[in-house]
Amino acid sequence: MAAAPAVPLLINLGGSLLGFAATLALIPAFKDRFLAARLFGEDLNKASRRPIPEAQGVISGAVFLIILFCFIPVPFLRCFVEEQCAAFPHDEFVELIGSLLAICCMIFLGFADDVLNLRWRHKLLLPTMASLPLLMVYFTNFGNTTIVVPKPFRLLLGMHLDLGILYYVYMGMLAVFCTNAINILAGINGIEAGQSLVIAASIIVFNMVELNGDYRDDHIFSLYFMIPFFFTTLGLFYHNWYPSRVFVGDTFCYFAGMTFAVVGILGHFSKTMLLFFIPQVLNFLYSLPQLFHVIPCPRHRLPRLNPCTGKLEMSYSKFKTKSLSALGTNILKAVKFLHIVDVRSGTDEDGEYTECNNMTLINFVIKLIGPTHERNLTLLLLLIQVLGSTIAFSIRYQLVRLFYDV
């Protein structure tokens, strides 16, 4: 960036700390307004069904945007107050503005989803539309679509490969994946904000380690976004932790996913960023049969509360055995054989129905450890997220030598 990084980063950190305090204060202050607007839901995993404000990610997202809007001139102060700036860095300025535009679009579209309760096909379309400013910034500032081929494939493909338009398709799909990957690993108090905090902290650590490397400016750019995101999300997490006083809503999931996509794409470390999504990737792969409706998928796949024990148990999808396609039947046989899904056949008197647990990482963990308290389940899933980041760092700095020259 144009200015020495220490001063902008310190200003960014100061603004982020103010954002943390603002998020803590604003969420309870706006609680009654959300309830009056009927933006609330019930916690299905609690005995008491009191209304809880939803879509609170719009508050943390708004605070995040205010911090970065005020921060826009800071990286370019040298060009305003000193004569040493030979030319204004328009490419860096466009990069910053385009990133904020993409995130702002995603917050708006996420809030529209919370209000209008859109269908899943729309949930895939929204991130695609919001990523267009991001792709245009990449095209105008960089335009490089050539990748370094991993060692095992170099005899076949050569040292470098130009993907052309496929690279932009990859970046668009990355934005869609990041937003929805957080959205489908949800349903218990604190999990959406908690997993985002761990991912953000991992990216911040990675950026700090790489500040002395060849791509220093890219990692400084990433820190400008990740530090405010971490602290505003921390404020939201405080209110969303068990027992949750607010729900983050799809607004936060879209906001978080697009922020990660922005820094991964424009910071040129999208492969490393995906490594921090290991639990989300596993959850996505495990969920595929239900996401594509090969196995019937209910609207809510969150665990169910056993009111007698106060613990969460696996939730199930119930369907007529004959309604399954041949593919669905074979998948069900395979997952039952592998013992990764609990399948119950002939659950009614006539034996026409089959049940299987909903295919989410949350239900899979319950399958492994048995019924557990919601708070303990969230803690365990966050520990899995931390373990995923540990594995990601090991791959990035150790196993990478098997695939690339470093």
Side-chain angles (χ1 to χ4, degrees):
M1 288 292 175
V7 174
L9 284 175
L10 287 174
I11 294 174
N12 186 279
L13 177 61
S16 301
L17 292 172
L18 290 176
F20 169 67
T23 306
L24 279 179
L26 288 174
I27 288 177
F30 278 85
K31 177 180 178 180
D32 291 337
R33 292 181 180 270
F34 277 82
L35 293 176
R38 303 191 65 80
L39 285 171
F40 61 83
E42 295 178 345
D43 195 334
L44 300 179
N45 288 328
K46 301 291 187 300
S48 62
R49 297 296 179 86
R50 60 185 177 85
I52 297 178
E54 285 192 294
Q56 297 302 289
V58 74
I59 294 180
S60 64
V63 174
F64 171 87
L65 288 176
I66 291 171
I67 294 169
L68 282 179
F69 286 162
C70 296
F71 181 75
I72 287 174
V74 176
F76 314 102
L77 285 178
R78 178 175 299 177
C79 290
F80 294 128
V81 299
E82 296 183 13
E83 298 178 356
Q84 299 177 5
C85 183
F88 188 84
H90 291 93
D91 55 339
E92 296 177 4
F93 182 73
V94 168
E95 191 175 321
L96 187 60
I97 297 298
S99 301
L100 287 174
L101 176 60
I103 295 171
C104 189
C105 286
M106 201 67 260
I107 293 174
F108 168 74
L109 294 173
F111 189 64
D113 184 13
D114 278 325
V115 174
L116 302 176
N117 201 15
L118 301 176
R119 295 181 179 272
W120 265 105
R121 59 176 175 266
H122 300 136
K123 294 176 187 287
L124 296 177
L125 181 64
L126 296 182
T128 305
M129 296 297 101
S131 67
L132 292 179
L134 187 62
L135 300 183
M136 284 304 302
V137 169
Y138 187 90
F139 176 76
T140 56
N141 277 12
F142 309 106
N144 182 22
T145 58
T146 301
I147 63 169
V148 178
V149 177
K151 289 180 181 179
F153 304 102
R154 287 179 184 174
L155 286 176
L156 180 64
L157 301 174
M159 183 72 175
H160 299 92
L161 179 65
D162 187 1
L163 296 179
I165 194 171
L166 292 178
Y167 194 78
Y168 291 94
V169 173
Y170 157 72
M171 290 189 290
M173 292 177 65
L174 179 67
V176 173
F177 172 77
C178 288
T179 52
N180 286 289
I182 294 174
N183 201 18
I184 64 175
L185 184 54
I188 57 176
N189 292 173
I191 189 63
E192 299 99 326
Q195 64 184 295
S196 299
L197 275 177
V198 175
I199 295 171
S202 303
I203 294 174
I204 290 172
V205 171
F206 173 67
N207 293 151
M208 297 294 289
V209 170
E210 292 293 320
L211 283 181
N212 293 324
D214 296 332
Y215 301 98
R216 176 171 171 268
D217 286 352
D218 294 331
H219 292 284
I220 291 171
F221 170 83
S222 175
L223 286 170
Y224 288 163
F225 284 82
M226 282 294 99
I227 294 174
F229 175 81
F230 178 85
F231 282 102
T232 53
T233 301
L234 186 62
L236 178 62
F237 180 69
Y238 174 81
H239 293 288
N240 185 234
W241 180 246
Y242 181 91
S244 179
R245 298 176 292 281
V246 300
F247 292 147
V248 300
D250 289 341
T251 307
F252 175 78
C253 298
Y254 290 163
F255 158 50
M258 183 55 73
T259 305
F260 293 141
V262 161
V263 299
I265 292 171
L266 297 184
H268 304 286
F269 58 89
S270 59
K271 295 189 294 295
T272 301
M273 190 201 64
L274 278 176
L275 290 175
F276 296 131
F277 276 74
I278 289 176
Q280 285 72 23
V281 171
L282 294 176
N283 182 61
F284 173 72
L285 294 175
Y286 187 55
S287 299
L288 275 178
Q290 285 193 309
L291 294 179
F292 287 96
H293 293 279
V294 179
I295 304 294
C297 182
R299 179 169 180 78
H300 296 293
R301 302 190 299 160
L302 68 162
R304 62 186 182 190
L305 175 69
N306 185 329
C308 298
T309 62
K311 294 181 177 181
L312 296 185
E313 300 175 351
M314 290 188 294
S315 60
Y316 286 81
S317 174
K318 185 176 181 180
F319 47 88
K320 282 190 173 182
T321 307
K322 293 182 179 180
S323 67
L324 277 184
S325 63
L327 177 60
T329 301
N330 290 328
I331 289 176
L332 212 57
K333 288 179 180 179
V335 295
K336 183 179 181 179
F337 175 77
L338 295 171
H339 298 286
I340 58 175
V341 174
D342 182 30
V343 181
R344 303 172 179 174
S345 301
T347 57
D348 63 321
E349 294 180 357
D350 300 325
E352 295 183 355
Y353 285 86
T354 297
E355 286 184 342
C356 70
N357 66 270
N358 286 310
M359 299 175 186
T360 67
L361 183 61
I362 300 174
N363 281 310
F364 182 69
V365 170
I366 296 175
K367 176 176 170 59
L368 293 178
I369 66 173
T372 186
H373 191 274
E374 184 174 1
R375 180 180 58 247
N376 297 336
L377 182 59
T378 303
L379 285 171
L380 181 56
L381 287 164
L382 294 183
L383 284 175
I384 292 173
Q385 190 75 51
V386 172
L387 177 62
S389 291
T390 304
I391 295 172
F393 279 113
S394 299
I395 295 173
R396 175 61 180 81
Y397 289 107
Q398 299 299 326
L399 294 182
V400 68
R401 293 180 176 85
L402 299 176
F403 299 94
Y404 298 99
D405 298 313
V406 293

